[in-house]
Amino acid sequence: MENSRPSSKRFLDIVSDLRTIIKEEGAVIGDKLPSERVLADRLQVGRSTIREALRSLELLGLIETRRGEGTFLADYKKHQLVEILSTFIMQNPQSFKSVDETRRIHERAAIECISNDPERRTLPVWESFLEKLKGIEPIIREELLQEIVVVSENRLSLKIWFLLKQYSRAPFHETMAEDEKEVASNLLKEMMNGNSQLAVMRYADWLDIVNGERRDEHEC
Amino acid sequence: MENSRPSSKRFLDIVSDLRTIIKEEGAVIGDKLPSERVLADRLQVGRSTIREALRSLELLGLIETRRGEGTFLADYKKHQLVEILSTFIMQNPQSFKSVDETRRIHERAAIECISNDPERRTLPVWESFLEKLKGIEPIIREELLQEIVVVSENRLSLKIWFLLKQYSRAPFHETMAEDEKEVASNLLKEMMNGNSQLAVMRYADWLDIVNGERRDEHEC
DNA sequence: TAAAGGATAGTGGTCTGACCACTTTATAAT
DNA sequence: ATTATAAAGTGGTCAGACCACTATCCTTTA
């Protein structure tokens, strides 16, 4: 009936300790962390345990290691980790719905955010998109969505969106159909006009097209 | 100028190899994976390398290890990836704003979701809350918000919300002021009436009260 | 025969020490 | 002062050894 002070998984404690160290030293992106040997000595564990923790954080993209140089706080702009995840995670049918719904929540919020901001809704990038939508060159759906989420300038929301995108089974990596481009254009126009409510409605229209008509039961 | 067949990070290759093994053996959730020693032998690498890969997958919640028993394909109902990522992103002061914004995004989505669903917007729990808001007994702000997010029935969104709540510096764990209760009541009433737009506006009013008047610059 | 008990093998968890390949830095030779 | 060389530091990997724990087999016992 131990109170599990040592949580039976030392490397998990190390992950936590590393976070503390980073915090205490006020390390910023790009900064060098103590070497594995120093960490092992400081935290009083073997180097292999330190490495298990570091390798975990590396796979998450939180740190970056360069042989011969050291370990550095990573620029968390690389989401390559999720590629590996997506092949493993959730065959659970129920969770796909949550993922898609949550992704849409963030997209909708981004659309509203931009529509309500005179600065961002008049960015030249939207004009460019409108032009491209008039043409016949193929456009990937998520190109537009990504731009929207990026411009909304909520880094956490963006991060979450990128994660969810990888897990989503919605066909947002495919090219847009011709009639679909018009709906997307309408979305953009309403957004640029600052009419967030109509923009969101056009977004809903777009979803209807992409997902076919099987959106009968769930509307959140 | 090697073609990087051995990708300089052996443990990353192992992660990939593990995926292959799991696929080939048709392993399902809960199944036991080969032991670390067997894997090391089969993949012709040291056991420590195998462990670095396994520990990474464990931190991601993809596998589960039980001492003395073995390693198993995890039942990944917990999206703990988001958890870990967020705790790390949180070092940066700028991110607090993101956290609060993102939390509000989920709250707003939940309010809209419930408002648009005749079933959920007429739940007796809302009447109870209205009654309590009329009284003088103290009510914690997040009690109401939590109920809303829970009822919206998006498990992932709920998970994210709980997480963000912890890192938020907004005073949602405090009790509601008297004049504040009226605003909250209005929010509930609009929601119960199915008027999602007005409900969201009342929600914005509420935020204004809670956060004082320093919502000048950011409106997303 | 069936139940209880203990020995044994298997497993993950950890540590140590040893190499290797590579980069940086310090030192020596020019 | 510049260049070449040596040394030190770092991550990457391996092998072997324990430990703590679990499951299993097998003997002992009722």
Side-chain angles (χ1 to χ4, degrees), chain A residues 111-135:
Chain A
I111 290 172
E112 288 179 320
C113 167
I114 296 174
S115 299
N116 291 328
D117 181 7
E119 293 284 335
R120 276 173 280 190
R121 78 183 185 218
T122 54
L123 250 38
V125 66
W126 308 131
E127 286 290 355
S128 317
F129 259 111
L130 275 182
E131 284 303 316
K132 277 169 63 179
L133 284 168
K134 283 178 189 165

Side-chain angles (χ1 to χ4, degrees), chain B residues 65-79:
Chain B
T65 56
R66 295 197 286 271
R67 175 191 241 156
E69 299 183 50
T71 305
F72 305 83
L73 262 193
D75 127 14
Y76 21 64
K77 40 179 150 246
K78 28 196 164 187
H79 312 258

Side-chain angles (χ1 to χ4, degrees), chain B:
Chain B
M1 232 38 97
E2 266 306 87
N3 206 349
S4 80
R5 253 165 347 234
S7 65
S8 139
K9 307 269 188 188
R10 214 149 183 90
F11 94 96
L12 285 180
D13 298 329
I14 300 301
V15 170
S16 175
D17 290 341
L18 285 175
R19 208 182 56 202
T20 304
I21 288 181
I22 292 174
K23 203 164 197 171
E24 282 178 352
E25 305 197 342
V28 190
I29 290 177
D31 280 8
K32 189 162 177 288
L33 298 182
S35 76
E36 298 178 348
R37 290 167 178 87
V38 170
L39 286 172
D41 188 62
R42 181 166 356 160
L43 299 178
Q44 286 295 291
V45 295
R47 190 181 156 213
S48 54
T49 303
I50 293 287
R51 281 186 60 83
E52 290 181 7
L54 286 177
R55 255 15 81 201
S56 300
L57 296 180
E58 181 176 6
L59 189 64
L60 285 176
L62 298 174
I63 62 174
E64 182 184 353
T65 56
R66 295 197 286 271
R67 175 191 241 156
E69 299 183 50
T71 305
F72 305 83
L73 262 193
D75 127 14
Y76 21 64
K77 40 179 150 246
K78 28 196 164 187
H79 312 258
Q80 81 186 72
L81 48 137
V82 185
E83 207 161 311
I84 298 162
L85 283 175
S86 343
T87 62
F88 253 89
I89 292 176
M90 216 57 60
Q91 328 158 20
N92 159 6
Q94 141 75 343
S95 43
F96 276 110
K97 205 171 67 181
S98 293
V99 172
D100 279 330
E101 267 179 40
T102 308
R103 186 177 49 75
R104 288 194 289 264
I105 286 174
H106 284 262
E107 290 165 359
R108 208 176 296 126
I111 291 172
E112 288 179 320
C113 168
I114 296 174
S115 299
N116 292 327
D117 181 7
E119 293 283 335
R120 276 173 281 190
R121 77 181 186 222
T122 53
L123 251 39
V125 66
W126 309 130
E127 286 291 354
S128 319
F129 260 110
L130 275 182
E131 285 303 316
K132 276 169 62 179
L133 284 167
K134 283 178 189 164
I136 54 168
E137 49 181 332
I139 303 181
I140 308 288
R141 291 183 180 122
E142 71 179 27
E143 284 180 15
L144 177 54
L145 288 170
Q146 176 170 329
E147 190 65 33
I148 290 175
V149 179
V150 167
V151 170
S152 79
E153 278 181 342
N154 180 329
R155 286 181 163 272
L156 178 55
S157 178
L158 176 60
K159 179 97 185 168
I160 294 175
W161 183 82
F162 264 108
L163 174 66
L164 297 179
K165 192 185 68 165
Q166 285 181 301
Y167 292 96
S168 174
R169 71 197 155 167
F172 275 100
H173 48 85
E174 298 174 2
T175 58
M176 296 172 62
E178 284 308 314
D179 59 338
E180 190 182 335
K181 291 185 179 177
E182 192 179 334
V183 180
S185 298
N186 291 336
L187 160 56
L188 275 180
K189 287 174 189 164
E190 297 296 354
M191 194 173 78
M192 294 166 72
N193 285 338
N195 198 327
S196 63
Q197 292 180 14
L198 283 179
V200 169
M201 291 176 71
R202 293 294 85 78
Y203 170 70
D205 294 343
W206 188 17
L207 289 181
D208 287 341
I209 293 182
V210 173
N211 296 330
E213 284 72 23
R214 49 181 169 75
R215 291 175 46 74
D216 30 17
E217 41 181 345
H218 221 293
E219 62 289 305
C220 285

